[in-house]
Amino acid sequence: AQTVTQSQPEMSVQEAETVTLSCTYDTSENNYYLFWYKQPPSRQMILVIRQEAYKQQNATENRFSVNFQKAAKSFSLKISDSQLGDTAMYFCAFMRRSGNTGKLIFGQGTTLQVKP
Amino acid sequence: DAGVTQSPTHLIKTRGQHVTLRCSPISGHKSVSWYQQVLGQGPQFIFQYYEKEERGRGNFPDRFSARQFPNYSSELNVNALLLGDSALYLCASSAVRLAGTDTQYFGPGTRLTVL
């Protein structure tokens, strides 16, 4: 069974600074997807970034980038130039590619507060 | 284009009652997944439906059921409600390309409170 672990329940960062959120996962699969989702206090879950395991290049989306270490089963999210609107709960999630069950496995989440 | 929509926004029920939650996917998406999110935790997978057929089921009791309609909208039904069913229920839609599973986009959720 796959598991996803986020070891940082809460983090804070000053506006305009950089912060890194950690995520590790456990799987015996070779083909899978990894995601970071953001859930602001308004509760709508928003996709931040997606990584396909077969791609060695780390995904980036504007101020958001990941450090994907497949051998170490690590998938951290870096937020550059943090903004007040980045305040939210961040979830790391895993999806196996085979089987097509559409099951996302989420970590426990990290609450990020961006301070002015 | 409209995103994933869910209704109702909030719902209060008492133990033993039945509840139906509704979800409309993004236009062009044929797959809908349901998740339960207890306060302070990550979402837990309940079901996925694609082309009106169940393709995945999480570790939830038979009190939980779902279906998908020809227009790809979906209903989640929960019978014999328990206090522990109080949670945010999230619906997500995806395109599900032939090559494999696809990114899921979430709706705003339905907050269910069981008294």
Side-chain angles (χ1 to χ4, degrees):
Chain A
Q2 293 85 16
T3 58
V4 176
T5 302
Q6 294 177 247
S7 58
Q8 306 153 312
E10 296 180 355
M11 294 191 72
S12 64
V13 63
Q14 292 297 131
E15 196 175 7
E17 292 187 348
T18 296
V19 64
T20 298
L21 308 184
S22 300
C23 172
T24 59
Y25 58 95
D26 187 25
T27 184
S28 58
E29 301 277 337
N30 193 46
N31 293 319
Y32 49 88
Y33 303 98
L34 294 164
F35 304 86
W36 279 98
Y37 283 91
K38 163 186 176 182
Q39 190 174 39
S42 65
R43 82 180 180 215
Q44 179 109 29
M45 190 84 75
I46 302 166
L47 175 68
V48 175
I49 203 164
R50 158 188 162 134
Q51 175 79 42
E52 295 166 21
Y54 67 87
K55 291 186 178 179
Q56 293 185 333
Q57 186 173 6
N58 289 324
T60 62
E61 286 289 343
N62 301 315
R63 299 183 294 107
F64 299 88
S65 62
V66 297
N67 183 5
F68 174 48
Q69 302 289 330
K70 190 173 184 180
K73 296 180 182 175
S74 171
F75 184 60
S76 61
L77 175 70
K78 185 171 82 171
I79 306 174
S80 304
D81 185 26
S82 297
Q83 301 175 359
L84 297 178
D86 295 333
T87 292
M89 195 155 190
Y90 287 80
F91 291 97
C92 177
F94 170 98
M95 180 188 288
R96 56 187 286 197
R97 187 171 178 177
S98 64
N100 286 352
T101 62
K103 179 180 180 179
L104 274 169
I105 299 170
F106 286 85
Q108 307 93 313
T110 296
T111 299
L112 175 67
Q113 184 178 12
V114 180
K115 298 179 178 179
Chain B
D1 285 343
V4 179
T5 59
Q6 292 186 243
S7 63
T9 304
H10 296 89
L11 204 51
I12 299 175
K13 293 284 188 178
T14 57
R15 283 177 294 174
Q17 284 189 314
H18 163 91
V19 68
T20 297
L21 311 180
R22 295 177 175 83
C23 170
S24 292
I26 293 169
S27 178
H29 284 190
K30 298 183 178 180
S31 175
V32 169
S33 298
W34 287 96
Y35 294 83
Q36 180 194 66
Q37 186 180 20
V38 175
L39 191 63
Q41 298 182 18
Q44 297 290 315
F45 174 76
I46 309 175
F47 288 111
Q48 192 201 38
Y49 276 77
Y50 174 67
E51 290 283 14
K52 301 179 289 296
E53 292 191 1
E54 181 184 302
R55 293 180 57 188
R57 172 185 283 256
N59 292 328
F60 281 81
D62 292 343
R63 299 184 296 107
F64 288 78
S65 64
R67 56 179 175 168
Q68 187 177 33
F69 299 99
N71 66 353
Y72 304 110
S73 67
S74 178
E75 283 184 354
L76 175 69
N77 296 283
V78 187
N79 292 323
L81 285 167
L82 303 174
L83 295 179
D85 295 332
S86 294
L88 181 67
Y89 287 85
L90 296 169
C91 172
S93 79
S94 59
V96 190
R97 288 187 286 259
L98 291 175
T101 52
D102 205 347
T103 301
Q104 296 184 14
Y105 298 91
F106 286 81
T110 293
R111 171 69 65 189
L112 172 65
T113 301
V114 182
L115 302 176

